[in-house]
Amino acid sequence: MCPLNPIEVLQKIAHGSQGVAVIEGDELHLVLPDDLSQIGTTTPVIDSAPDDNGDPFGSSISTVRPLLPPLINSAVVIVRFLQKHDYDTDVVAQFKVRRPGEKTAVSWGEFCHGPTPDDQAQLYKRLTHGPKPQHPVAVYGRIADVEPDNQGRPVLQLADGKGFTVRIRSDHPSLLAPLTVGNFVLAVGAWKLWTPRRGRPELQMFAEEHWQLAHWSYDAATGHSSPPACPPPLSLAQRTLRQTRSAAARNLGPGRAALLSLRPLRPSGPRTSAAPPPAVSPPPEPLMAAPAEASPEPSSPTSPPGPAVPDTAPPSEPAPPAPSAPPLPPRPSAPPRPAVPPRRRTRRSWWPFGRRR
C-alpha cells in the first residue's frame, strides 16, 4: 500500500481554489459565502493534473467538467478524497469550513452532510429545530431511485434517512437527466423541509444551476472512480425563462399571482361604471303647458308666452315679412316663465233648472 500524503493533496486543492480554500497548519479551511449567488461569480481554474482513475488513494486531483466554480470544485475534490479513504476520522479532521463572518473554523460536517443517513439526519434536525444554517450546505450520497414528478420531470431520491426522504428536484429536467441510479452526487444549495399531506417528510433541494450538482461512479472494492462531471449548463432559452419568472415573482410579490388568477372576469354584483351618467331631459309639465295635440301650430320656443286668448276672437293677420331686414340678434337667455294654461270655454250651457232639452 502506498503511503498516505494528505498534505500534498491539501496544497493542490488550495492552489486551484482562487482563495476559497486556505491552509492553516495541517488543515485546509474552505471559506463559505453568504448565499448561493456568490458561488458562481468566480472563474474556475483548469487543473492539468491527470484524473485519479487508477489512484486508489486519491493523491491526484481532477477538475470537474464542465468547469465548476472554485468552491464547488474544491468541495468535490475533498469529498472524493474522503470517500477513497472511507471517511477516516483522522483524515476528515484535516478539513474545516469557515462560516460567513466568522474566523473560527468548524468541522467539515457543518457544510457537507453525508454519506450516511445519520449525517443527513443532522441537517434535518437543524432545519426542524434550529439553528438553521445561514450559508449554502451540501448533501452527499448515492442515488437510490429516479422517479418522475406530477409534471413528468425526473426527481432524484437518495437513500432514505431516519423517518424522512432525501430528494433533489429541479424545474429544468436537463439538470437531472444525466444522473442515474448508483451514481454518487454532491448537491450544494439551499435545502428545506416539505411535509406532504400523505407520506414521509422530505428533505429537498431545487437545483437552479448546473454547478450545484456533481456526480461520479465509485467502486469501493477496487477504489476506482469515474472522472467527476456535472450536468450541461442551462441554455439561453432556459435562462431567459427563469429570469422572466423571477422578475414576475418580484413584481407581483408572494401570493399575488395566485390572487390574480382567481379574480373573476366579471363582477358578481351590479355593475358600477365610472362613465358619466346620460343627460337627463327636463320633466314634462302636463299642468303648465298645453299638450301638443291641443294646438295644430307649435309656438315659437324663443317668444315668451302671452296672455290667454279666447277661442271666439278672430286671429290677427300676420304682417308680411321684410326680406331686406337684417336678422335680429338672439335674445339673452333667461329662465322661461311658467306658462299659464288657457282656459277653455265650454260649449255646454247650463240651465238653472233641470236638464237641457
Side-chain angles (χ1 to χ4, degrees):
M1 182 177 295
C2 298
L4 177 64
N5 186 10
I7 300 299
E8 181 181 355
V9 177
L10 270 58
Q11 292 176 351
K12 288 184 177 181
I13 296 175
H15 174 73
S17 67
Q18 293 188 3
V20 299
V22 295
I23 295 180
E24 294 288 343
D26 58 349
E27 297 177 348
L28 181 71
H29 295 181
L30 190 65
V31 183
L32 304 180
D34 291 329
D35 54 57
L36 195 66
S37 62
Q38 300 177 7
I39 296 179
T41 58
T42 54
T43 305
V45 176
I46 299 178
D47 190 354
S48 58
D51 58 55
D52 52 351
N53 278 339
D55 184 4
F57 293 97
S59 60
S60 298
I61 304 299
S62 61
T63 304
V64 182
R65 304 302 179 100
L67 300 180
L68 296 185
L71 186 138
I72 303 299
N73 192 81
S74 301
V76 172
V77 173
I78 295 173
V79 168
R80 298 178 77 237
F81 180 79
L82 296 178
Q83 183 186 45
K84 292 193 174 186
H85 292 82
D86 199 19
Y87 272 77
D88 183 86
T89 305
D90 295 335
V91 179
V92 175
Q94 292 183 286
F95 297 93
K96 305 286 186 179
V97 292
R98 294 183 186 177
R99 292 176 293 190
E102 299 182 8
K103 295 183 178 180
T104 304
V106 295
S107 64
W108 176 253
E110 289 288 324
F111 167 68
C112 183
H113 301 269
T116 65
D118 291 338
D119 300 328
Q120 300 165 359
Q122 294 180 3
L123 177 60
Y124 183 86
K125 182 178 179 180
R126 293 174 62 184
L127 295 177
T128 304
H129 304 288
K132 297 182 178 180
Q134 302 300 320
H135 53 80
V137 296
V139 170
Y140 158 62
R142 193 168 190 171
I143 301 175
D145 190 15
V146 179
E147 55 187 6
D149 61 3
N150 296 334
Q151 301 182 11
R153 298 171 298 190
V155 179
L156 307 182
Q157 178 179 335
L158 276 62
D160 283 354
K162 296 183 177 180
F164 62 94
T165 303
V166 183
R167 286 190 174 94
I168 303 174
R169 302 175 180 269
S170 180
D171 292 331
H172 309 286
S174 61
L175 295 182
L176 304 184
L179 285 75
T180 58
V181 175
N183 283 0
F184 286 88
V185 60
L186 178 71
V188 183
W191 288 83
K192 62 180 181 179
L193 299 181
W194 176 63
T195 302
R197 294 182 179 179
R198 297 180 181 179
R200 307 175 66 185
E202 181 174 319
L203 176 64
Q204 63 175 214
M205 187 199 81
F206 272 82
E208 298 180 356
E209 295 287 351
H210 73 285
W211 46 259
Q212 293 183 256
L213 302 170
H215 59 95
W216 64 92
S217 62
Y218 174 69
D219 187 356
T222 61
H224 291 174
S225 62
S226 64
C230 64
L234 296 179
S235 63
L236 179 60
Q238 290 175 318
R239 195 169 298 277
T240 303
L241 178 60
R242 192 188 67 179
Q243 294 175 355
T244 303
R245 290 178 177 176
S246 301
R250 289 193 301 267
N251 294 335
L252 295 179
R256 181 75 180 275
L259 294 178
L260 293 178
S261 62
L262 296 178
R263 182 177 298 175
L265 297 179
R266 294 184 179 180
S268 57
R271 181 179 181 182
T272 56
S273 175
V280 180
S281 59
E285 300 178 357
L287 299 179
M288 303 298 292
E293 292 80 0
S295 177
E297 297 180 2
S299 59
S300 173
T302 58
S303 60
V309 180
D311 294 343
T312 56
S316 59
E317 296 181 0
S324 60
L328 297 177
R331 296 183 179 182
S333 61
R337 299 176 57 186
V340 180
R343 179 177 298 178
R344 297 183 180 181
R345 299 185 61 181
T346 60
R347 300 292 184 180
R348 184 177 182 182
S349 60
W350 294 88
W351 293 83
F353 303 99
R355 296 181 178 179
R356 181 182 179 183
R357 296 180 180 178

